[in-house]
Amino acid sequence: MPQPPVDRPGETSGDTPGDKPRAGYRLMHVHAHPDDESSKGAASTAKYVAEGVDVHVVTCTGGERGSVLNPKMDRPEVWENITEIRREEMHRARDILGIRQDWLGFVDSGWPEGDPKPPLPEGCFALVPLEESAERLVRLIREFRPHVVTTYDERGGYPHPDHIRCHEVTVAAYAAAGDPTMYPDAGEPWQPMKLYYHHGWSWAKTNALHEAMLAHGLESPYTERLEKWEREPDWDDRITTRVPCGDYFGVRDQALLAHATQIDPDGMWFAIPREIQQRTWPTEDYELVESTVESERPEDDLFAGIPTPAP
């Protein structure tokens, strides 16, 4: 089926080097599954791509054990070909975002259900020895040589075993990539300058969007969630960096829709009009956890403090 044209702000056939003020900077996002790159930080990714940053997404697993969350895609032929379909969805999202992307090559661990939870499947990503998975990421870091790396916090953003393992692998690889004694056969050492964690849904953001919906006379999708929310002010205070990227929410949405098995176009992802999102919370938020450079906090840029790269 022909794909609709992609609206990628900042990209035109007449681009010149002067139109790309961030040319030479490199940014790596490390994610657990295909679709995570589009649901976490995709608007800031699109902003940086439009400014000339070379953005590389590493996807740790193929998402083989993920659920089909879009009712329109919950069909036998989809389940029979889920591995290939999720791979195709990732390639489409990659092209929409204008990024390069690599698979780390591990198998989805799945979401364990039950009480007690069953053991994880043998050979899945969460059970692979850390040294093995970290070495693969170190190899990609040394090849791509990013100035900035992002991933999930120690809780994984949410407690999926692959998200938690993604955090562990990224932290280990970030520490090892610049050390010539670590994984000496994985390429020339390269030390990224900054490591960030995604902070996608703080209480402040969720509540602000909730209040904005009510102020417009609209039903909020977050009412029940906020009623049950056990607030952790210290956790929200960990955010150090808010990247203005509201102009790129449309690109984010197109990338999300590319993951048709995972994203229901009639579901919660699109319950809040984009204009309300842009006016209410036009940033994507991060926590700076490691840095070899000085920058003033709070930041509004993942590259704050990093000198302009040499041509």
Side-chain angles (χ1 to χ4, degrees):
M1 179 180 298
Q3 296 288 351
V6 173
D7 174 21
R8 191 175 297 128
E11 181 175 291
T12 67
S13 59
D15 281 339
T16 65
D19 297 326
K20 303 290 186 180
R22 295 302 186 88
Y25 286 99
R26 295 180 296 277
L27 170 62
M28 175 180 279
H29 299 304
V30 187
H31 287 291
H33 308 111
D35 77 78
D36 289 325
E37 84 298 324
S38 298
S39 60
K40 302 164 188 67
S44 45
T45 290
K47 162 191 161 68
Y48 284 124
V49 168
E51 293 174 352
V53 175
D54 192 356
V55 181
H56 186 172
V57 164
V58 178
T59 311
C60 293
T61 79
E64 301 88 348
R65 292 190 171 97
S67 302
V68 174
L69 302 177
N70 181 355
K72 300 179 185 67
M73 296 292 288
D74 191 1
R75 308 191 303 270
E77 65 271 21
V78 171
W79 283 104
E80 290 167 6
N81 298 285
I82 192 66
T83 298
E84 294 78 8
I85 289 171
R86 295 215 65 188
R87 204 170 187 89
E88 291 170 1
E89 291 173 345
M90 178 68 246
H91 291 168
R92 173 63 177 158
R94 176 195 65 195
D95 292 345
I96 290 169
L97 292 171
I99 59 174
R100 64 174 83 186
Q101 183 260 345
D102 277 296
W103 304 92
L104 210 56
F106 295 104
V107 176
D108 191 338
S109 304
W111 176 257
E113 294 186 271
D115 187 16
K117 293 183 184 298
L120 294 174
E122 184 177 351
C124 71
F125 176 51
L127 296 182
V128 172
L130 184 61
E131 296 77 11
E132 179 182 341
S133 44
E135 180 176 14
R136 292 195 196 179
L137 183 55
V138 165
R139 190 175 297 276
L140 288 175
I141 290 173
R142 289 176 176 174
E143 177 184 331
F144 181 60
R145 300 163 70 87
H147 300 98
V148 174
V149 175
T150 79
T151 192
Y152 316 131
D153 59 60
E154 63 272 22
R155 299 178 181 177
Y158 80 110
H160 191 295
D162 286 340
H163 281 243
I164 293 170
R165 196 56 162 176
C166 179
H167 160 83
E168 295 167 347
V169 168
T170 308
V171 170
Y174 179 91
D179 185 344
T181 68
M182 298 291 291
Y183 309 112
D185 298 327
E188 290 294 319
W190 172 263
Q191 181 57 60
M193 297 180 185
K194 295 172 111 177
L195 174 66
Y196 286 92
Y197 296 160
H198 294 279
H199 279 260
W201 287 96
S202 63
W203 182 90
K205 175 180 178 178
T206 306
N207 187 63
L209 291 169
H210 168 79
E211 295 291 345
M213 288 290 281
L214 298 181
H216 283 80
L218 300 172
E219 182 179 355
S220 168
Y222 303 129
T223 301
E224 184 176 350
R225 183 177 179 182
L226 285 165
E227 288 173 352
K228 296 179 179 179
W229 198 303
E230 296 182 11
R231 292 191 61 185
E232 297 178 273
D234 290 346
W235 185 268
D236 288 353
D237 287 346
R238 288 172 51 166
I239 294 172
T240 62
T241 311
R242 302 187 190 277
V243 179
C245 52
D247 289 346
Y248 298 87
F249 285 177
V251 185
R252 174 203 64 190
D253 291 349
Q254 290 183 64
L256 277 168
L257 289 168
H259 293 283
T261 57
Q262 298 293 296
I263 303 298
D264 181 357
D266 300 318
M268 184 176 291
W269 283 110
F270 302 99
I272 298 182
R274 189 184 304 159
E275 294 78 8
I276 290 180
Q277 295 181 52
Q278 289 170 324
R279 285 196 297 268
T280 304
W281 205 275
T283 67
E284 289 179 336
D285 306 334
Y286 298 84
E287 174 189 355
L288 177 61
V289 290
E290 297 283 349
S291 182
T292 65
V293 298
E294 295 294 328
S295 60
E296 186 176 347
R297 303 183 194 183
E299 302 174 325
D300 62 2
D301 179 16
L302 299 181
F303 295 96
I306 297 178
T308 303

